[in-house]
Amino acid sequence: MRVWLHEWKGNEWGWNAWSLDHTGFATWAPTRDEVLLRVPGKFDEYQQWLARHGCSAVEAEAAPGDITVVEEVSGNEVLFEHDLAPATSDEIAECLRLLSYSRQDLVATVEGLPDSVLDWDPPYRQFAEWARWRTIRQIVEHIALTEVGYYLPAIGYSGPDPTSLVGGAGADWREQLLRSRRETERFLTQLAGSHDTARVTRGEEDWSVRKVLRRLVRHELLHWKSIRRIVRDYGDKEKAVRL
């Protein structure tokens, strides 16, 4: 299995291992050695996620054995060489398909949760000082805002003001997700027919279409995992109180 390594420096830290052959797959660990050890197990989880959504055996191949590191980069928001090439229409379509899977899972997890769970502030052991999302409701709003307010603008999106589109505190979380995703789907569908599907930009942060595609999927999967952890921790807290 081929992986691309990113050592974070700046607001975040640690190492990400990406498989750019599989859109949205990545895993994180504090050190380079640890992240490489995590790849097989995390990729198996990724395969199982695809299989639950009816993907074929070709899309959800066997767990990796040997791992080949293709490239290593270091910095805050940087690009791999792979990210510099134009995205194909198939890659854009795959991103949209995977986003539909991640959105189904996210909504199914959050749907029906009472306000007491949606607004519970978990006692995180470690939490980034710059992150403003702690509760499930805040995380969902963050997912919606990040798509139209951070990722897509990096590759040319200029739709409605993200805050007015998504709404602030008190807005219905379903509407927040729906409005943001409509814009994402519209923009990516138009992008597939564009003459420029690379859109490489460099500055304090480096971006491209390929990078945004993988980050969109990874971002929602990562926060879906966080939400499931919060739901589980809340349940454990309530059990402890009853005991």
Side-chain angles (χ1 to χ4, degrees):
M1 179 179 181
R2 303 194 305 166
V3 299
W4 286 252
L5 297 181
H6 175 199
E7 181 186 13
W8 282 97
K9 290 185 178 179
N11 287 339
E12 300 187 47
W13 64 281
W15 290 75
N16 273 123
W18 293 84
S19 177
L20 303 186
D21 299 321
H22 304 276
T23 302
F25 171 74
T27 188
W28 177 93
T31 69
R32 184 183 187 278
D33 289 344
E34 287 178 277
V35 82
L36 289 173
L37 288 173
R38 289 186 184 184
V39 167
K42 293 300 180 180
F43 187 65
D44 185 58
E45 292 177 11
Y46 177 82
Q47 293 178 110
Q48 293 174 27
W49 173 66
L50 289 176
R52 287 196 297 272
H53 288 279
C55 288
S56 69
V58 173
E59 294 170 300
E61 64 194 32
D66 296 334
I67 295 175
T68 300
V69 177
V70 177
E71 183 183 2
E72 297 186 35
V73 296
S74 177
N76 181 18
E77 286 289 0
V78 291
L79 296 169
F80 297 110
E81 285 294 322
H82 179 277
D83 295 322
L84 302 177
T88 66
S89 58
D90 285 345
E91 288 173 333
I92 295 172
E94 180 186 41
C95 175
L96 287 167
R97 177 169 58 85
L98 296 178
L99 285 174
S100 73
Y101 299 163
S102 62
R103 182 52 51 88
Q104 290 173 35
D105 293 334
L106 175 66
V107 171
T109 300
V110 179
E111 192 75 63
L113 293 177
D115 289 343
S116 58
V117 181
L118 291 173
D119 297 315
W120 181 55
D121 187 350
Y124 294 104
R125 287 177 295 177
Q126 293 181 339
F127 199 81
E129 293 180 359
W130 47 267
R132 298 183 302 276
W133 49 93
R134 294 179 61 89
T135 69
I136 292 175
R137 197 186 304 276
Q138 290 168 345
I139 293 170
V140 170
E141 180 184 1
H142 166 69
I143 292 170
L145 280 172
T146 300
E147 285 195 12
V148 294
Y150 184 54
Y151 291 139
L152 297 187
I155 54 172
Y157 170 78
S158 58
D161 174 73
T163 303
S164 63
L165 175 70
V166 172
D172 182 80
W173 65 265
R174 299 166 192 81
E175 281 298 312
Q176 290 179 320
L177 292 176
L178 180 62
R179 292 172 185 168
S180 174
R181 184 51 57 83
R182 280 176 177 168
E183 287 294 297
T184 299
E185 292 172 347
R186 179 185 65 80
F187 177 75
L188 292 182
T189 300
Q190 291 178 346
L191 178 65
S194 168
H195 70 281
D196 180 9
T197 57
R199 303 194 181 188
V200 177
T201 59
R202 293 190 181 274
E204 291 186 14
E205 297 185 355
D206 299 339
W207 290 93
S208 73
V209 171
R210 274 187 159 180
K211 177 180 175 180
V212 167
L213 296 180
R214 61 181 169 86
R215 288 288 293 276
L216 282 168
V217 178
R218 170 64 177 167
H219 188 251
E220 187 152 22
L221 287 175
L222 190 63
H223 282 300
W224 175 50
K225 178 182 178 180
S226 297
I227 288 171
R228 285 182 291 153
R229 183 186 301 119
I230 292 172
V231 172
R232 184 176 64 249
D233 289 350
Y234 184 89
D236 290 344
K237 175 182 74 74
E238 291 299 289
K239 284 182 182 178
V241 169
R242 288 194 295 271
L243 292 175

